[in-house]
Amino acid sequence: MAGQSKPVQLGPWGKATAGAAGACFANVLVYPLDLIKTKLQVQVKKTVDVEKQEAAAGSEPHYKGTWDAITKIKDAEGVAGLYAGMSGALLGVTSSNFAYFYWYSIVRTLYFKYQQSDAHPSTAAELSLGAVAGALGQLFTIPIAVVTTRQQTQSKEDRKGMIETAREVVESDDGITGLWRGMKASLVLVVNPAITYGAYERLKDIIFPGKNTLKPWEAFLLGALSKSIATIVTQPLIVAKVGLQSKPPAARNGKPFKSFVEVMEFIVKNEGALSLFKGIGPQLLKGFLVQGILMMTKERVELMFILFMRFLSKLRSQQLGKAAALAAAAKVASPVIAK
């Protein structure tokens, strides 16, 4: 529509707030899936040796799949168990998405300024912009992700609050650097949001060419499709990152992993290569729903911001107009007063 402002006119803070609001809303709706996929990704494939180790260590039950995990957690901890660690997770996704969209807006603006053109970036450029924004965001938000992962993978008896869990991480052998455990894997994983938002922009140009403001279902479709593509490509890295940030499996005798490559080697050796994709079901479903709802909400919030800014601008113009009219009237009336 001719009267609509382009989304790029919204500043970094507006885009970041819209993205964070969308992420928070979407994750509240599907949080149990996030919990389940984390538990599935850290558990070791069931074998006779693993059963003996688990029995000796008194560890959590083994989950056969998404529904089995939901049922067992609900039976053991009630419905509240499906929302364990949610406060930390919401803080994490809100802050990480705020940071991502803030930096993405800035680096994209700088890109267009450098190019001195309004032409859409190439696919390679879109991926690069997303990777830079993701890396900057990860530096500030990964400690929250580490604490949240610990909370999600702890048993009900061992589970603590965010501060206590963070203190536990700091007091471990890693010290304060433990809060940045998995940083290398996280930096590698910036390809996930890079692929997601690169694919989103590219699919938007292909499926809905020339549209600046999308309908809710259009934004949902693009967000869901782009996240599904990114998840399938990066799932082994996602599994490795979760393994790095959680407590080591019983077979490691308490020895933590040192790199995501070491996690992947352990999984392949003990469970087979296909286990690098464990938890892919709930991960895909969660990503499909979260990213779809996130982008749908983000587009609406951005539009609300733009309309609010227009209202303020119109109100200011009216006030200036009234002030100018009063000044003009006073000027005309001043000679009469002088007489």
Side-chain angles (χ1 to χ4, degrees):
M1 294 181 187
Q4 289 179 332
S5 299
K6 292 183 179 181
V8 292
Q9 292 178 345
L10 200 62
W13 285 98
K15 285 186 172 293
T17 302
C24 185
F25 176 68
N27 278 274
V28 166
L29 295 180
V30 300
Y31 180 75
L33 282 174
D34 185 45
L35 178 76
I36 297 304
K37 67 91 181 172
T38 301
K39 286 185 175 291
L40 289 175
Q41 287 167 353
V42 297
Q43 72 178 9
V44 179
K45 189 175 181 180
K46 204 73 170 175
T47 63
V48 175
D49 291 337
V50 171
E51 286 178 354
K52 291 179 181 178
Q53 289 169 347
E54 286 182 346
S59 58
E60 289 189 337
H62 191 275
Y63 306 116
K64 298 176 182 178
T66 303
W67 187 250
D68 183 52
I70 291 173
T71 304
K72 286 180 178 177
I73 292 171
K74 183 176 176 294
D75 290 343
E77 305 178 40
V79 176
L82 296 171
Y83 293 87
M86 188 173 77
S87 58
L90 291 182
L91 178 60
V93 297
T94 302
S95 59
S96 62
N97 276 275
F98 184 93
Y100 180 85
F101 284 110
Y102 178 81
W103 289 112
Y104 185 69
S105 178
I106 287 179
V107 296
R108 215 164 189 267
T109 300
L110 291 174
Y111 173 84
F112 284 120
K113 186 176 180 180
Y114 175 77
Q115 291 292 319
Q116 296 182 341
S117 170
D118 290 333
H120 285 292
S122 64
T123 301
E126 286 282 13
L127 292 175
S128 299
L129 293 175
V132 171
L136 289 169
Q138 284 292 330
L139 290 172
F140 297 100
T141 60
I142 193 171
I144 300 173
V146 171
V147 172
T148 300
T149 301
R150 284 291 181 96
Q151 287 183 309
Q152 290 180 333
T153 54
Q154 286 173 335
S155 64
K156 184 180 180 180
E157 294 74 23
D158 296 333
R159 193 174 299 134
K160 305 176 183 69
M162 283 197 68
I163 303 299
E164 290 79 8
T165 305
R167 187 180 292 117
E168 183 182 84
V169 173
V170 173
E171 291 174 352
S172 68
D173 294 339
D174 290 331
I176 189 72
T177 58
L179 291 173
W180 277 267
R181 173 167 279 277
M183 184 68 200
K184 291 180 181 178
S186 296
L187 289 177
V188 173
L189 267 173
V190 299
V191 298
N192 186 290
I195 293 171
T196 300
Y197 296 108
Y200 182 89
E201 294 294 338
R202 188 58 55 212
L203 289 172
K204 183 179 179 181
D205 292 339
I206 296 172
I207 303 175
F208 307 111
K211 293 194 74 170
N212 292 320
T213 303
L214 299 176
K215 295 177 182 178
W217 73 267
E218 294 172 338
F220 182 95
L221 176 65
L222 290 181
L225 287 176
S226 59
K227 189 63 177 182
S228 296
I229 294 170
T231 298
I232 292 170
V233 172
T234 60
Q235 181 66 9
L237 295 174
I238 294 172
V239 172
K241 178 189 173 185
V242 172
L244 266 177
Q245 294 178 339
S246 62
K247 285 186 176 181
R252 297 276 298 180
N253 297 316
K255 182 182 177 183
F257 294 107
K258 294 181 179 179
S259 68
F260 69 96
V261 174
E262 188 178 2
V263 179
M264 294 170 75
E265 287 176 345
F266 176 85
I267 291 172
V268 172
K269 181 180 178 181
N270 292 275
E271 306 173 54
L274 285 179
S275 290
L276 291 173
F277 290 87
K278 57 186 175 181
I280 186 70
Q283 181 84 48
L284 268 175
L285 182 58
K286 179 222 170 190
F288 185 91
L289 293 174
V290 166
Q291 199 65 30
I293 296 170
L294 189 160
M295 297 311 294
M296 180 175 68
T297 307
K298 177 178 176 289
E299 291 280 343
R300 295 300 97 188
V301 174
E302 284 187 2
L303 183 58
M304 287 169 59
F305 280 170
I306 290 170
L307 292 174
F308 182 64
M309 289 165 62
R310 284 183 183 175
F311 171 74
L312 291 180
S313 178
K314 184 179 179 180
L315 195 63
R316 186 168 178 270
S317 296
Q318 289 176 344
Q319 290 175 339
L320 289 174
K322 288 179 180 179
L326 287 172
K331 209 172 200 180
V332 171
S334 60
V336 178
I337 296 171
K339 290 178 182 179

